[in-house]
Amino acid sequence: MLHVLTKKRSLVLVILSCLLINGCGYSIRYNLSGTTATRSEKPASLNVVTVLFDDARDDIEREKDARKDKNEKDTGDYTYDKNFRGNVAHGITTMVVDHLRYAQCFKSISLLDYTNNAVNPVLLDSLASAGVDALLTGEIEHFYGYYDRKPGKEILLGTGLALAFGIPVAIATTTTETKAYGFKEVKTNPIAIGLAVSAGSMLGTYLESTGKRRIAWRTMLSLQLISTTTRETLWRGTVDVKQDENNKSMPGINSNKRKQQVAVESLREAVNQLVKKLAQELP
């Protein structure tokens, strides 16, 4: 029995450690499928290597304090680096490479864990001798999401419906048993009550999310493809996906992650545009 309890405690500690490490970190990943990720209509016969994109974003997209310093409103409703898991530039670069590989834009594409600063003639010669035709570099100009969350209304609706669901269930499941010497013991069903409270709380969150509000996002990437042999720029381009709507809703029960979700969705759309541009503009 003691061994089982020890294992359970260890599992709890592992879970808590993961939560502390990742916090509210949202992974910069999206589903690659035929319905969400575009495939290339004209694959280029190139073996490509990508280095990590430079993060050229303004500080207000990276740190909450920087946005506060500019006296902007609703600073808590924007995404910042701390809202995402790991390094943002690394996450974006990795996702772009995975998407381009899935889209079959090139004969092959892989990520070289170097920064743009490490690109020099020696590296290019080394890549060329290894059969790499081109190097893809880039800059992240913009990447953020915004969701006008209304926590006060969420709490009000969630708490109200939690009580509205939980109290009747508590009353209905409460029983009284007479013990020895006439002592009466009141018993409740905590599982049933807990489920009712959770259901009410989630319904409240969902109902709040159906309301119209401002939702915005943007991803802007500037990229270039360099020949490893001639050093010529084979292609240069920019993709820019942005939206700012004041009358939009996103019904669901995970409103605390909505701003990250729309940011990552804008990245997906930006890479879809990139796939099309490469197919149309590469010789």
Side-chain angles (χ1 to χ4, degrees):
M1 181 66 178
L2 181 59
H3 177 66
V4 173
L5 290 174
T6 302
K7 288 181 69 177
K8 287 184 177 179
R9 290 194 189 99
S10 298
L11 180 59
V12 170
L13 288 174
V14 170
I15 293 172
L16 289 174
S17 297
C18 290
L19 290 173
L20 288 173
I21 293 170
N22 294 325
C24 297
Y26 191 95
S27 179
I28 303 178
R29 302 290 304 172
Y30 51 80
N31 182 47
L32 291 170
S33 70
T35 58
T36 61
T38 300
R39 283 187 181 272
S40 178
E41 295 180 357
K42 183 187 171 186
S45 184
L46 296 170
N47 292 312
V48 176
V49 162
T50 305
V51 291
L52 295 174
F53 298 161
D54 284 340
D55 196 336
R57 292 175 297 154
D58 190 288
D59 284 344
I60 64 170
E61 293 185 17
R62 305 184 64 177
E63 299 175 3
K64 187 175 181 179
D65 287 343
R67 191 176 289 277
K68 282 183 176 180
D69 289 343
K70 294 195 175 183
N71 297 317
E72 293 200 17
K73 297 180 179 179
D74 298 331
T75 56
D77 292 330
Y78 286 91
T79 57
Y80 305 101
D81 285 11
K82 68 178 183 178
N83 299 127
F84 297 100
R85 191 176 305 161
N87 179 272
V88 170
H90 192 283
I92 289 176
T93 309
T94 301
M95 190 68 245
V96 171
V97 170
D98 288 347
H99 190 149
L100 295 180
R101 183 184 298 117
Y102 168 84
Q104 298 178 340
C105 292
F106 308 107
K107 185 186 297 183
S108 70
I109 182 169
S110 59
L111 175 62
L112 187 64
D113 205 7
Y114 287 7
T115 63
N116 274 340
N117 292 333
V119 177
N120 54 45
V122 174
L123 176 63
L124 292 173
D125 287 340
S126 175
L127 291 173
S129 63
V132 176
D133 302 303
L135 180 71
L136 180 66
T137 66
E139 286 190 346
I140 304 166
E141 307 283 354
H142 295 284
F143 176 70
Y144 68 86
Y146 173 91
Y147 179 86
D148 185 13
R149 193 179 178 198
K150 304 180 185 300
K153 191 174 179 180
E154 281 183 25
I155 293 172
L156 184 63
L157 281 171
T159 302
L161 287 174
L163 292 173
F165 281 39
I167 291 174
V169 171
I171 294 172
T173 59
T174 298
T175 59
T176 303
E177 292 184 8
T178 302
K179 299 294 185 178
Y181 307 106
F183 176 74
K184 292 185 178 181
E185 181 182 2
V186 178
K187 290 186 175 182
T188 60
N189 188 332
I191 295 177
I193 296 171
L195 289 173
V197 168
S198 296
S201 179
M202 286 191 292
L203 179 59
T205 300
Y206 177 82
L207 290 175
E208 192 284 322
S209 72
T210 61
K212 304 293 184 180
R213 70 200 67 219
R214 181 188 170 212
I215 302 175
W217 57 82
R218 189 174 187 184
T219 293
M220 180 178 176
L221 306 175
S222 296
L223 308 103
Q224 62 177 343
L225 197 62
I226 305 167
S227 169
T228 58
T229 54
T230 67
R231 312 295 197 261
E232 293 179 358
T233 299
L234 302 176
W235 175 86
R236 178 184 284 112
T238 297
V239 288
D240 190 4
V241 171
K242 58 182 176 179
Q243 183 166 305
D244 195 335
E245 293 188 11
N246 287 311
N247 194 33
K248 186 177 176 64
S249 66
M250 295 180 67
I253 59 174
N254 62 336
S255 60
N256 61 321
K257 299 291 185 182
R258 284 297 194 223
K259 59 185 180 180
Q260 295 98 312
Q261 181 183 348
V262 297
V264 173
E265 283 298 302
S266 73
L267 173 63
R268 176 186 59 79
E269 184 54 37
V271 185
N272 278 338
Q273 286 190 12
L274 175 60
V275 171
K276 293 177 181 178
K277 287 175 73 72
L278 288 170
Q280 294 168 0
E281 299 173 7
L282 262 178

